[in-house]
Amino acid sequence: MLNRRNFLTAAVGVAATAGLAACAKEDGSSSDSSSGGSKTITLGFSQVGSESGWRTANTDSVKSAAKEAGYKLQFSDAQQKQENQISAIRSFIAQKVDVIAFSPVVVTGWDAVLKEAQSAKIPVVLTDRSVESDESLFVALVGSDFTDEGRRAAKILEKVLEKAGHKGKVKIAQLEGTTGAAPAIERAKGFKEVMDAEHKDDWEIVVSQTGDFTRAGGKQVMAAFLQSNPDIDVLFAHNDDMGLGAIQAIEAAGKKPGKDILIVTVDGVKDGFIAMSEGKINAIVECNPLLGPQLMEVVKTVHDGGKVERWIKTKESDFMQDQAKDALPTRKY
């Protein structure tokens, strides 16, 4: 998998940014018109799907930012299927768009289509998620540090447990994101890093399964968790929507979410903050979906042959339950 910590300084990628964009100009797909005006940039964007409130906010951000920038956006919804996304990217190549951006469904299986884009001299920008691929095949990633989000979730759980007065062993259930997706892999990794280093003797993940980042999946899997492990102390959900689904299952089992089972989630969508203000979620690690403006800046720079950082990070915060009511009115998504 892409090493995000070395991403910013990967010289090969920086060179690719300028080189691919320059090639695009030579190919005529992004050159200035003969009258001296600039041709409208056409951006092909392939989205994972619409599986969560976070993803909807992310899509809206990309669409509105492209409109504001005056770009022509060719948008495709992959419906959480990699084959749909690969087909969309090939369609963008056939259309000879100026830049391709996509949020990959999973981390593997992209080399062939990315090589096709490179052969067509179309630069590729990753958004939100990383891939396991030759780094020369894409020019930048605009997104979060998912491993650090996992670490932050573990650290904020310490505060949640302390505030709840929990003593002794902690039995944790983990709702994972889509199998093979970068946020699922990296959030689990970061959480386990802190757990193994600082709570090896008192924390245990007793059950862990994918809820596919959906509310329905979270509800279904949490119901099964409670059947097999009725004495769960904590739920760590890789996104708010799975946590919100899990709340329904917890309540159906006659337990109180946020009290009988402490809940930490990742994202920070408005519905998550509402649940936190109601005492049903104890803490949220923010993952900012509003990547559109940053993406459009990268697209413009790449299109013009400039250099960009290999990893453009988003700014994020952590929120405890007692902050929810104050933070809720400012939620933009």
Side-chain angles (χ1 to χ4, degrees), residues 25-266:
K25 282 192 171 185
E26 291 171 7
D27 190 47
S29 60
S30 61
S31 60
D32 290 344
S33 66
S34 58
S35 62
S38 296
K39 179 184 175 184
T40 299
I41 295 173
T42 299
L43 170 64
F45 181 78
S46 176
Q47 181 60 281
V48 172
S50 54
E51 76 283 358
S52 64
W54 191 99
R55 189 63 56 190
T56 299
N58 180 243
T59 294
D60 289 346
S61 177
V62 170
K63 287 183 174 179
S64 63
K67 183 177 180 180
E68 185 174 343
Y71 300 166
K72 182 179 179 181
L73 180 66
Q74 301 289 354
F75 180 85
S76 175
D77 183 336
Q79 300 178 329
Q80 293 184 275
K81 295 180 180 179
Q82 185 180 32
E83 59 268 30
N84 290 348
Q85 204 156 45
I86 290 173
S87 177
I89 293 170
R90 286 185 169 138
S91 176
F92 296 152
I93 293 169
Q95 294 173 55
K96 298 181 180 180
V97 301
D98 297 306
V99 180
I100 292 171
F102 75 109
S103 181
V105 176
V106 293
V107 296
T108 58
W110 301 104
D111 280 11
V113 72
L114 291 180
K115 286 177 181 177
E116 291 171 26
Q118 188 178 69
S119 295
K121 302 175 183 177
I122 301 174
V124 174
V125 179
L126 303 181
T127 68
D128 177 35
R129 301 178 176 186
S130 60
V131 298
E132 291 179 357
S133 187
D134 180 349
E135 291 187 12
S136 70
L137 297 177
F138 54 92
V139 298
L141 165 68
V142 180
S144 304
D145 186 335
F146 299 135
T147 302
D148 191 56
E149 288 173 353
R151 296 188 193 105
R152 286 158 51 201
K155 297 304 291 184
I156 206 166
L157 176 56
E158 294 174 339
K159 297 178 182 178
V160 168
L161 289 165
E162 181 180 0
K163 186 174 181 180
H166 186 94
K167 305 293 183 183
K169 298 283 186 178
V170 181
K171 295 183 178 180
I172 303 170
Q174 179 174 230
L175 276 170
E176 305 167 22
T178 303
T179 302
I185 295 167
E186 295 172 21
R187 285 171 187 161
K189 176 185 174 183
F191 189 89
K192 194 170 187 302
E193 279 181 11
V194 174
M195 190 178 77
D196 290 349
E198 302 177 25
H199 300 283
K200 192 173 183 179
D201 297 328
D202 58 329
W203 290 14
E204 180 187 3
I205 296 177
V206 295
V207 62
S208 184
Q209 186 177 322
T210 179
D212 211 24
F213 283 130
T214 68
R215 201 169 298 197
K219 180 180 179 180
Q220 179 180 358
V221 175
M222 189 67 196
F225 284 174
L226 290 169
Q227 287 289 326
S228 61
N229 294 272
D231 55 349
I232 291 167
D233 301 305
V234 169
L235 170 65
F236 169 42
H238 285 188
N239 80 338
D240 289 345
D241 276 77
M242 289 190 297
L244 292 166
I247 286 171
Q248 297 175 39
I250 292 167
E251 291 176 332
K255 295 178 180 287
K256 292 183 178 180
K259 292 184 178 179
D260 296 330
I261 298 178
L262 305 174
I263 300 176
V264 174
T265 66
V266 181

Side-chain angles (χ1 to χ4, degrees), residues 309-324:
E309 292 181 330
R310 287 287 288 165
W311 184 11
I312 295 89
K313 296 184 183 181
T314 55
K315 295 181 180 179
E316 299 165 341
S317 303
D318 299 334
F319 299 90
M320 292 281 287
Q321 197 174 80
D322 54 8
Q323 299 171 282

Side-chain angles (χ1 to χ4, degrees), residues 14-27:
V14 174
T17 303
L20 284 173
C23 287
K25 282 192 171 185
E26 291 171 7
D27 190 47

